[in-house]
Amino acid sequence: MSTKQAPTRQAITLKGSTSLVTEFFKYAANTILFQRGVYPSDDFHMVKKYGQTVLVTQDLALENYLDKILRQVNKWLLTGVVTQLVVAIISKDTRTPLERWVFDIHLVEQPAENAGSRTAPKPETEIQAEIRSILKQIVSTVTFLPIIDEPTVFNILAYTTESADVPADEWVDTDPLAIEASKSQQVKLRSFSTDVHRIEAMVAYRYEG
Amino acid sequence: MNSDRFKTPANAPSRVASSLRSSTAPKRDSLAAELERDPKMSTAKRQQRTQAFSSHMSQAALERRLLAAEMAKGELERKLIEKDAQVDRLEADRRWLAEREEQEKAEKETERALHVEEKAKTDHELRELRRMYMTLRDEHAELRDEHAALERTTSQALSVHKNESSSLRLQVAQLERELSDALALAEQRSAAVEEVRAQMDDLSFVQSGSPRGESDTAKWNVIHNEVQSVVEHSKAVERENARMKAELERLREKRTNVEILREEKIALERKLRGVEELRTQVGKLEGELAAARRERAEWAHRARQLDSPSQTPISVTQSLTQLRLEHAHVLENHGANLALLRQREAELQDERAVVLELRASLDESNQRERAAAETIAQLEQSVALAEHEVGFLQKFNASFTLEAASHDASMVDEAKEQHVKNLEELLEQYKSRTHELETEMNNLKSRAVSTGASPSVRALREELEKEREAARDALTTLEKNKEANEQHLETIDRLEQTLFELRGEIGAGRHIPPNTRILSLRDNPAQQWADLRQEALDRLRAENGALLRRLHELEEGGARTAEQEKEDLVPRESLKVALEEKMELEETVRQKEKRLRRLQEVFTAKSAEFREAIASIMGVKLAFYQNGQVRVTSYYDLNASFVFQPISSKKEGSARMQLIAQGEGGPQELPQLMRNWVEKEQCIPCFLASVTLECYESWKRDREMGIER
């Protein structure tokens, strides 16, 4: 009986987890864009999410862009081919990458089938608390990241496996927008995990001390 | 050139002459005179001169063109040389690239070979691991079967023992019942003996009373009584003895039963120990199995990873995985040890329980023994008493026989004497038997003290010691494992640091993990911005290029006419930009116009509304002119119309109207009204109101008349 029931429950968990992760990316990207001043702050409005207020863009073009990306990311997450998402902030004038916000996506290993010792599923309130703390940490990174005083633009990169199913007319292989080694600093942020995914956040930034 | 040199002086004087003409007007040179003198010749000369001039001009033009052509030729040659150089460079580049390509191809080949080799190796390993896994699984199954069989046999044995013990209990109960029955029987018998004795007493009394005298009968009575009491006592002793024998038998039986049970218990414990070992072995094997499985997964993962050759961090990750594996292994061992310890503890607990049980049973048996000793002591006391009595009786008997002998030898009842002697012998026998029994009982007691309880306790103690030692060993191994664990933790810390750094490498985008593609949307904001910039830049560059070209052309072609220059002065690109700008501006103008038109429409609609409202409320129609004049026409008489002009008064905020013209119609009293309201009172609203009233009256009158007609 248990072996018969297990797959369905897992499938539901995967789907739920994927939508949770996708939603998190949406709010994380919005928060980064607001906090790092990539778009004017008038473009954002406040929304209640995860038990706190989050700023979300009202710029239609940007919304469409994010939606398009997140739809594809959702598909990739379901097939488990995406390993990393990066929000890169680039200087408009010199086109040098200034910051890379990296979100590592790990698939949590399922315990073996003889799992009488199967752990209880993680409650959603706990996951939300973890997400909340990541978003708060993104907000608080403003205190140590270098101040950006030039116009910037951003790009979202997705690291996928070779075998990933990629719509060729929309997505293209691209430069990793690397920050040169001598001027790079990195800070590991918090992480959160569902029963299926574990997301580890990090920010690498250019710092000419 | 010669002609040029030749001609120039001829030209020069003329120019000089023309310049000097104004200053030296009255003076005439010889040439002029000649010209005047011979008009024909002068015309011919003029013709000649014009011809020469035109040829010179054409020559100059040709020369200029030649120069231009030469320059163009030079430029083209230069360009050709440049092109050649470029071609050479490109050729060199191409060669270099071809070389590179070949090199790369060779590298790829070697890498592929390496990869194939590695893959074969990993496949082999994988197969071996799988085989190992299979054998382990088989072993595991076998062990499980064995374990099950052992469990079954032990449970069977346990049930058998249980049955046996229950049957023994039943037997004991039966025996007790039998004992009670026997006791009851003894009671009955003693009652019967009592009865018989009473009868005998009676009979002896009768006997003694009839033949003998008074004293004899009294003596005989005494003797009889004594003998009776002795007999009674010996019977009681006999009874007691029988009872004790029975009890002894029972105790012996129980003891043998207990011995059997103990032996069986020991055998079972030994078996159980074997089972425990098997269990631990099974646990260990399971752990090994899990480890093998994990290793296999690892190998599979690595095999997958090895599908494409990666860069440097592979070795690092490999070592990392190895270390992790080791760590997992150690953890596993640690877990197994812990489990073993727990098991041992549980066993210890069980043993303790068994010891407690045994102690309880020992206490019970001790108590029983004490009770038996008490009863024995009682019996001894009673035996001593009986002996004492017997002694007394013997003495008594001896004196009696002495007395009897002194009195009369024939009187002695031989039969009685014989009887008494028999009784004495019997008593002696009983005594010896009692003594034997006592000694036997003592022996039994001592044996019970020395051997009965201690061996099992000693064995248990030894076992306990063994267990303790095992526990100590387990603890030491645990300590060792802990140390190893700490070391592993340190290495893990170090590796995590390097992992963090490597993560930073990946996070900063300097390292791309193998088998990974980096994708972005084709239409992303950065690209849009870049495109936008590029577009603007391209446009400006094109414009600049065109302008430069134009400048160059202008510098070169000085021969062009001013009109042409004017035509082509603006390059096409600039024009395009200007046109685009114009289009944009036109678009905005159009939008603005549209807006204006809409506003106008709204305004006219509103003003019409306003006029209608005025007409219906005040009874006058208003028409506004461009110059600010207002024509007022009565609603009831279209001929009665007045034109007002605003006059700006000196007071701010109020504009007064002035009547400047009037229509043809109107009521008859109009001049009067005008004089009264406008000139005298200077109140135009009142004037208009009275005019309206008059007009209404006349209109009403006309209508009535019209209806009548």
Side-chain angles (χ1 to χ4, degrees):
Chain A
M1 269 311 258
S2 66
T3 50
K4 210 172 180 181
Q5 271 179 353
T8 54
R9 196 170 63 181
Q10 194 184 331
I12 287 162
T13 317
L14 174 65
K15 212 166 187 183
S17 170
T18 302
S19 62
L20 242 163
V21 171
T22 316
E23 201 178 46
F24 161 71
F25 281 133
K26 180 183 165 192
Y27 290 108
N30 271 303
T31 308
I32 291 166
L33 294 180
F34 173 75
Q35 290 297 335
R36 304 309 292 148
V38 181
Y39 285 81
S41 52
D42 299 347
D43 282 6
F44 293 83
H45 72 287
M46 285 198 265
V47 166
K48 268 262 180 203
K49 190 73 200 173
Y50 306 124
Q52 64 178 15
T53 43
V54 185
L55 284 146
V56 175
T57 184
Q58 285 177 307
D59 186 333
L60 266 178
L62 179 57
E63 259 180 273
N64 282 338
Y65 171 64
L66 285 175
D67 271 354
K68 215 186 244 178
I69 283 183
L70 291 174
R71 265 203 301 280
Q72 187 58 46
V73 166
N74 200 5
K75 277 182 204 161
W76 280 335
L77 277 172
L78 280 173
T79 49
V81 293
V82 61
T83 57
Q84 209 174 73
L85 283 177
V86 178
V87 179
I89 296 176
I90 308 156
S91 163
K92 260 186 181 174
D93 297 333
T94 59
R95 300 185 73 173
T96 45
L98 300 176
E99 284 170 21
R100 290 176 105 252
W101 296 80
V102 182
F103 297 95
D104 274 331
I105 302 163
H106 299 283
L107 275 174
V108 176
E109 277 181 32
Q110 292 298 318
E113 278 310 307
N114 56 355
S117 61
R118 196 188 180 95
T119 48
K122 197 168 183 177
E124 190 155 342
T125 50
E126 202 177 310
I127 298 171
Q128 283 204 356
E130 284 176 4
I131 290 177
R132 201 160 48 229
S133 56
I134 294 189
L135 292 179
K136 277 192 175 149
Q137 215 180 9
I138 290 173
V139 173
S140 68
T141 49
V142 178
T143 54
F144 63 80
L145 288 176
I147 294 163
I148 298 177
D149 49 4
E150 54 186 321
T152 52
V153 71
F154 84 107
N155 196 0
I156 294 180
L157 312 179
Y159 282 51
T160 65
T161 57
E162 291 276 8
S163 57
D165 195 10
V166 179
D169 51 338
E170 283 186 348
W171 290 76
V172 287
D173 286 297
T174 182
D175 178 60
L177 297 173
I179 300 170
E180 52 202 291
S182 56
K183 290 171 185 167
S184 166
Q185 301 262 332
Q186 73 249 11
V187 175
K188 197 173 183 317
L189 303 181
R190 285 171 190 276
S191 62
F192 84 93
S193 62
T194 65
D195 288 331
V196 185
H197 294 106
R198 197 174 79 252
I199 310 299
E200 288 181 2
M202 199 184 89
V203 55
Y205 56 94
R206 186 189 170 86
Y207 180 69
E208 297 176 54
Chain B
M1 281 303 221
N2 269 347
S3 65
D4 198 22
R5 208 184 300 148
F6 187 67
K7 293 289 173 188
T8 358
N11 225 9
S14 75
R15 239 184 272 151
V16 171
S18 65
S19 65
L20 288 174
R21 204 171 290 152
S22 56
S23 59
T24 58
K27 211 174 176 184
R28 284 161 51 184
D29 62 351
S30 59
L31 189 68
E34 221 172 350
L35 281 174
E36 272 176 3
R37 221 184 304 148
D38 194 357
K40 252 185 201 172
M41 196 185 154
S42 72
T43 50
K45 261 193 184 162
R46 209 173 286 147
Q47 237 168 4
Q48 205 179 353
R49 237 178 252 166
T50 52
Q51 267 173 6
F53 180 69
S54 66
S55 71
H56 166 70
M57 284 297 281
S58 65
Q59 205 171 359
L62 281 170
E63 269 171 6
R64 226 173 284 145
R65 225 176 277 166
L66 186 70
L67 262 175
E70 266 173 4
M71 272 179 81
K73 194 185 137 224
E75 184 131 1
L76 282 170
E77 270 171 1
R78 198 159 39 76
K79 270 185 189 166
L80 193 67
I81 287 160
E82 270 175 17
K83 280 270 162 68
D84 277 350
Q86 209 171 356
V87 163
D88 283 343
R89 219 171 42 238
L90 286 170
E91 198 79 22
D93 282 354
R94 199 178 61 79
R95 267 199 297 282
W96 186 71
L97 282 170
E99 272 172 21
R100 279 288 303 275
E101 206 179 342
E102 267 181 12
Q103 223 171 337
E104 267 181 6
K105 220 175 261 173
E107 269 177 17
K108 214 178 268 178
E109 279 298 318
T110 52
E111 271 175 0
R112 196 171 291 159
L114 260 172
H115 166 61
V116 164
E117 206 177 315
E118 265 175 351
K119 198 173 182 183
K121 220 191 291 177
T122 49
D123 275 354
H124 181 69
E125 269 167 356
L126 204 66
R127 264 201 298 283
E128 215 160 342
L129 281 171
R130 206 169 281 160
R131 199 159 44 72
M132 257 166 68
Y133 168 56
M134 288 304 282
T135 51
L136 279 172
R137 189 188 269 176
D138 287 347
E139 272 175 20
H140 179 223
E142 272 171 22
L143 283 168
R144 193 177 279 169
D145 285 348
E146 251 176 39
H147 179 223
L150 279 169
E151 254 180 11
R152 229 175 298 129
T153 51
T154 46
S155 65
Q156 236 169 358
L158 274 174
S159 66
V160 165
H161 290 312
K162 224 173 261 174
N163 283 346
E164 269 178 14
S165 68
S166 65
S167 66
L168 283 171
R169 214 169 285 148
L170 272 174
Q171 236 173 331
V172 165
Q174 211 177 347
L175 284 168
E176 268 171 4
R177 223 179 306 128
E178 274 173 15
L179 178 70
S180 63
D181 286 354
L183 277 175
L185 204 68
E187 239 13 89
Q188 263 181 2
R189 293 271 162 79
S190 68
V193 164
E194 203 71 40
E195 211 174 327
V196 167
R197 199 174 289 156
Q199 276 177 4
M200 208 175 83
D201 276 356
D202 287 348
L203 283 173
S204 62
F205 184 71
V206 168
Q207 212 176 21
S208 64
S210 54
R212 282 176 197 137
E214 284 284 306
S215 59
D216 277 2
T217 50
K219 273 175 192 170
W220 275 111
N221 265 344
V222 169
I223 289 166
H224 199 81
N225 278 346
E226 279 303 314
V227 167
Q228 248 178 6
S229 71
V230 165
V231 166
E232 205 178 318
H233 188 253
S234 70
K235 264 181 192 161
V237 166
E238 212 172 324
R239 231 178 14 244
E240 199 71 36
N241 190 18
R243 202 167 58 93
M244 276 176 72
K245 216 183 258 175
E247 205 173 345
L248 192 70
E249 283 299 313
R250 222 174 50 224
L251 279 170
R252 260 188 205 153
E253 220 170 33
K254 265 188 192 169
R255 208 175 106 79
T256 51
N257 276 344
V258 163
E259 283 298 318
I260 289 164
L261 279 173
R262 200 170 283 154
E263 270 169 28
E264 270 171 2
K265 193 193 132 237
I266 284 162
L268 279 173
E269 271 171 4
R270 215 176 297 129
K271 271 185 194 169
L272 204 67
R273 256 202 299 284
V275 169
E276 286 305 324
E277 271 171 26
L278 281 172
R279 198 173 286 162
T280 53
Q281 212 175 344
V282 165
K284 227 183 277 176
L285 282 169
E286 265 176 353
E288 274 173 16
L289 186 69
R293 207 175 273 163
R294 209 163 310 139
E295 214 172 341
R296 195 175 71 118
E298 194 73 32
W299 275 110
H301 180 64
R302 204 176 292 174
R304 225 180 304 134
Q305 260 190 354
L306 279 169
D307 277 347
S308 79
S310 61
Q311 291 149 15
T312 37
I314 277 291
S315 61
V316 177
T317 48
Q318 261 179 0
S319 62
L320 187 67
T321 48
Q322 243 168 17
L323 279 168
R324 274 210 176 136
L325 212 70
E326 271 176 28
H327 178 230
H329 211 66
V330 166
L331 272 183
E332 217 168 65
N333 279 345
H334 175 66
N337 280 331
L338 268 182
L340 205 64
L341 196 66
R342 292 275 171 282
Q343 254 177 15
R344 288 279 154 78
E345 272 170 11
E347 276 172 30
L348 213 64
Q349 210 73 32
D350 287 350
E351 293 300 331
R352 259 179 212 152
V354 168
V355 165
L356 278 179
E357 233 173 53
L358 284 170
R359 248 178 217 159
S361 66
L362 199 69
D363 283 346
E364 212 179 344
S365 58
N366 276 346
Q367 230 168 358
R368 224 179 275 161
E369 250 170 21
R370 225 174 288 138
E374 269 172 17
T375 52
I376 283 163
Q378 272 177 359
L379 284 171
E380 269 174 357
Q381 239 174 356
S382 60
V383 164
L385 211 73
E387 268 174 1
H388 194 68
E389 265 180 330
V390 166
F392 171 69
L393 280 172
Q394 270 174 347
K395 265 188 257 170
F396 194 78
N397 203 10
S399 68
F400 184 71
T401 44
L402 216 82
E403 215 175 324
S406 66
H407 271 287
D408 192 6
S410 61
M411 289 292 276
V412 176
D413 196 346
E414 276 182 17
K416 285 271 175 200
E417 207 170 351
Q418 191 63 39
H419 187 65
V420 168
K421 261 182 195 164
N422 282 348
L423 281 174
E424 272 176 1
E425 272 171 25
L426 209 65
L427 192 68
E428 280 301 317
Q429 270 179 9
Y430 277 135
K431 258 187 199 167
S432 64
R433 182 73 193 134
T434 319
H435 191 70
E436 267 175 41
L437 281 173
E438 265 175 12
T439 51
E440 206 175 331
M441 224 157 119
N442 279 340
N443 282 345
L444 270 176
K445 221 188 260 175
S446 64
R447 223 192 301 161
V449 168
S450 63
T451 59
S454 59
S456 65
V457 169
R458 210 175 293 143
L460 281 172
R461 247 182 220 151
E462 277 169 17
E463 231 169 274
L464 206 67
E465 278 303 311
K466 268 187 212 162
E467 289 294 328
R468 267 185 196 151
E469 265 177 37
R472 259 201 296 283
D473 286 351
L475 271 176
T476 50
T477 50
L478 194 69
E479 284 296 318
K480 272 183 204 162
N481 282 337
K482 262 184 191 163
E483 272 173 32
N485 212 357
E486 267 167 26
Q487 277 176 359
H488 282 304
L489 280 176
E490 268 174 34
T491 50
I492 281 167
D493 274 350
R494 264 207 310 281
L495 286 169
E496 255 168 16
Q497 181 59 34
T498 50
L499 190 68
F500 173 72
E501 278 158 18
L502 289 171
R503 266 237 182 96
E505 286 281 312
I506 293 174
R510 289 189 294 277
H511 173 72
I512 302 161
N515 295 335
T516 304
R517 289 176 73 179
I518 305 171
L519 301 166
S520 71
L521 264 188
R522 193 189 287 279
D523 188 25
N524 60 58
Q527 194 59 45
Q528 282 168 4
W529 166 253
D531 288 349
L532 206 70
R533 247 169 72 127
Q534 197 60 41
E535 202 181 312
L537 202 69
D538 285 347
R539 211 176 56 220
L540 282 173
R541 200 175 280 161
E543 204 175 319
N544 198 20
L547 279 169
L548 278 175
R549 219 165 33 243
R550 183 72 213 141
L551 206 65
H552 195 68
E553 276 173 20
L554 279 174
E555 275 173 359
E556 271 184 7
R560 293 201 180 172
T561 58
E563 269 180 351
Q564 276 173 328
E565 277 171 20
K566 232 177 228 171
E567 266 173 17
D568 284 338
L569 206 58
V570 180
R572 194 171 295 280
E573 282 75 10
S574 300
L575 183 67
K576 216 185 272 172
V577 172
L579 278 176
E580 273 176 20
E581 223 167 293
K582 196 184 144 216
M583 290 245 293
E584 272 175 30
L585 286 171
E586 273 175 357
E587 183 63 32
T588 51
V589 164
R590 215 173 294 136
Q591 276 179 358
K592 287 267 156 83
E593 271 178 355
K594 203 171 171 186
R595 196 173 159 73
L596 195 67
R597 207 158 50 235
R598 206 169 289 154
L599 279 172
Q600 273 175 349
E601 273 167 22
V602 169
F603 174 71
T604 47
K606 278 281 159 196
S607 62
E609 218 172 278
F610 171 70
R611 271 200 293 273
E612 267 173 35
I614 292 284
S616 54
I617 293 167
M618 309 290 283
V620 288
K621 284 179 181 170
L622 296 175
F624 296 91
Y625 294 120
Q626 291 287 326
N627 55 5
Q629 289 181 353
V630 185
R631 196 186 65 196
V632 181
T633 313
S634 174
Y635 196 75
Y636 302 105
D637 189 354
L638 295 177
N639 289 326
S641 63
F642 311 94
V643 178
F644 295 95
Q645 191 181 25
I647 46 162
S648 52
S649 80
K650 278 161 194 172
K651 283 184 217 160
E652 280 178 21
S654 62
R656 295 189 60 195
M657 301 299 276
Q658 190 181 23
L659 184 62
I660 52 165
Q662 71 173 93
E664 290 162 3
Q668 289 168 354
E669 308 87 56
L670 191 62
Q672 196 187 334
L673 283 172
M674 261 207 273
R675 209 175 310 122
N676 189 24
W677 288 112
V678 178
E679 286 167 20
K680 221 191 251 174
E681 300 288 333
Q682 296 202 333
C683 177
I684 288 168
C686 296
F687 167 68
L688 280 179
S690 50
V691 168
T692 307
L693 267 175
E694 289 295 326
C695 285
Y696 177 69
E697 287 294 326
S698 63
W699 175 72
K700 199 173 154 192
R701 233 178 4 251
D702 285 353
R703 202 176 57 172
E704 279 168 3
M705 279 171 71
I707 289 165
E708 276 175 20
R709 254 181 235 153

